Amino acid sequence: MDTRRTAGLGLGLALLSALAFSTSGPFARSLIDAGWSAEAAVATRVGIAGLVLAVPAAVALRGRWRILRRNLGMVAVFGLLGVAAAQVGFFNSIRYLPVGIALLIEYLGVILVVAWMWAVHGQRPRLLTVGGSAAAVLGLALVLDLTGGGGGLDPVGVLWGLFAAVGLAGYFVLGARVDSALPATAMASGGMAVGSATLLLLGAVGLLPMHAHFGAVTFAGQTTSWLVPILGLALLAGVVAYATGIGGARLLGARLASFVGLTEVLFAVLIAWLLLDELPTVVQLIGGALILAGVTLVRLDEPKPRSDPKDPDGTPAPAMTAG
């Protein structure tokens, strides 16, 4: 596969992942409002998604279990950071902060990715990346419509948001750097299994609250079974989001994939428009344009592909596929 087609495939996977992730907020909110703890919602979401992905993961491995064994450490860290930490941090953050503020804090993880690539791999951000970062963060703030001000923010919610930002950065960095021979489905399934098992263990010993409500919930203004948001979280915001996100990160590299991930908020606004008839404002449209401009600048600043199948930023060679 040539470089242009690889970049196009990676961009498509990353955008599909952002779209799938953008549905998690409404699903999770309906469960939390009905009495679920954030940890129980996350553990159930990733546990079911991990089980669903186990079958295609096994098929993709084709009996090459040694590939999974040699990547167990990376998969475990991915499960702890990119799955458990990111989701638990965000779901707890929205208990104390408006969703827009919580998202803005979580997506500071994009800046952490840039800092990591600089500190660890010596990839000092050039002018285009700095400009793209500034444009993207400003655009994010405009899309989230934070005109209500940030005064009186609950520090507990802010800390949870920063915790989610670290997890988000880990999701993109680890998703891009894993052994390219390991299928994306196996990486996602294994990571979610680790994340779910860790949360359930911590809940069993009393370190995390684990409570759920198995009754009717209110979702999108309608009363429905708790299974509806759970299956939405597990299948759409879990299976689809993680499998395509890992594939996109491998093809684009951690830095560019993290910036493309900012389009999640644009999709969230679009979903609110289509489902709830909430028209985006002019300010939000300007913010969306700034996010897209920021992603474009970072894309233009990406280094040229090398012949080495493993570049320092974790981007595979052009012939690599998502697995």
Side-chain angles (χ1 to χ4, degrees), residues 8 11 38 47 50 86 88 149 169 179 226 234 239 250 255 261 268 271 316 321:
L11 181 61
V88 169
D179 186 345
W226 63 277
V239 171
R250 290 183 180 186
R255 182 169 59 188
I271 289 173
T321 64

Side-chain angles (χ1 to χ4, degrees), residues 22-38:
S22 71
T23 66
S24 64
F27 289 130
R29 174 61 73 183
S30 66
L31 293 173
I32 292 174
D33 288 347
W36 285 65
S37 67

Side-chain angles (χ1 to χ4, degrees), residues 191-219:
M192 287 190 284
V194 170
S196 180
T198 301
L199 293 175
L200 291 174
L201 177 61
L202 293 176
V205 300
L207 295 179
L208 290 178
M210 282 286 176
H211 48 84
H213 172 71
F214 300 105
V217 302
T218 301
F219 174 69

Side-chain angles (χ1 to χ4, degrees), residues 2 47 59 68 83 96 129-130 146 160 172 186 195 222 241 249 275 290:
D2 60 43
V59 172
L68 181 59
V83 177
Y96 302 94
T129 293
V130 173
L146 307 181
W160 276 118
F172 286 113
Q222 303 294 323
L275 298 183
L290 284 172

Side-chain angles (χ1 to χ4, degrees), residues 46-58 61 65 68-69 71-84 178 182-198 242-243 246 250:
V46 299
I48 295 174
L51 288 174
V52 171
L53 278 175
V55 174
L61 282 169
W65 300 109
L68 181 59
R69 285 195 297 270
N71 286 283
L72 281 179
M74 187 74 73
V75 171
V77 177
F78 177 81
L80 294 175
L81 276 180
V83 177
V178 75
L182 182 68
T185 49
M187 177 71 169
S189 178
M192 287 190 284
V194 170
S196 180
T198 301
Y242 273 92
I246 293 170
R250 290 183 180 186

Side-chain angles (χ1 to χ4, degrees), residues 130-142:
V130 173
S133 300
V137 171
L138 176 58
L140 179 63
L142 294 179

